[in-house]
Amino acid sequence: LNTDRLLDLSNAIKNFLAENRYLASRVSEPTIELSADQKAAKVIFSIENPYRYEFLFDGNQTLSSEFLI
C-alpha cells in the first residue's frame, strides 16, 4: 500500500461516480486502519452527497437528448 495506489483507488471511485451520474458526490481522503501485525490495511473512503441525477427530456423533438446533455 502506497500513496500511488491510494490515488488510483480514489480516482477509480471518482470516475465510477461521475460515469454513473453521482454528480454532486465528493470522495474524502482515505482513513487507513492497520492490523496489529501491520500486514493488512483497511482503507475507508467516505462519500458525501451520494445522490444520483437523471436527466429526462420529455416533449423534445428538435434536439437530441445527447446534444442537450
Side-chain angles (χ1 to χ4, degrees):
L1 184 64
N2 59 35
T3 55
D4 288 338
R5 184 64 180 137
L6 289 174
L7 185 59
D8 289 345
L9 287 169
S10 178
N11 287 335
I13 293 168
K14 290 174 185 176
N15 289 338
F16 173 84
L17 293 170
E19 289 170 5
N20 289 281
R21 296 190 179 125
Y22 292 88
L23 304 176
S25 299
R26 288 189 307 263
V27 179
S28 71
E29 292 296 316
T31 301
I32 302 167
E33 297 175 4
L34 295 173
S35 63
D37 60 3
Q38 296 192 359
K39 292 185 178 184
K42 182 183 202 180
V43 180
I44 302 167
F45 289 93
S46 294
I47 300 173
E48 298 176 27
N49 297 325
Y51 304 107
R52 180 179 174 140
Y53 293 90
E54 292 287 335
F55 298 101
L56 178 61
F57 300 103
D58 279 340
N60 174 42
Q61 297 178 9
T62 307
L63 302 172
S64 70
S65 294
E66 291 80 18
F67 179 79
L68 292 172
I69 289 174

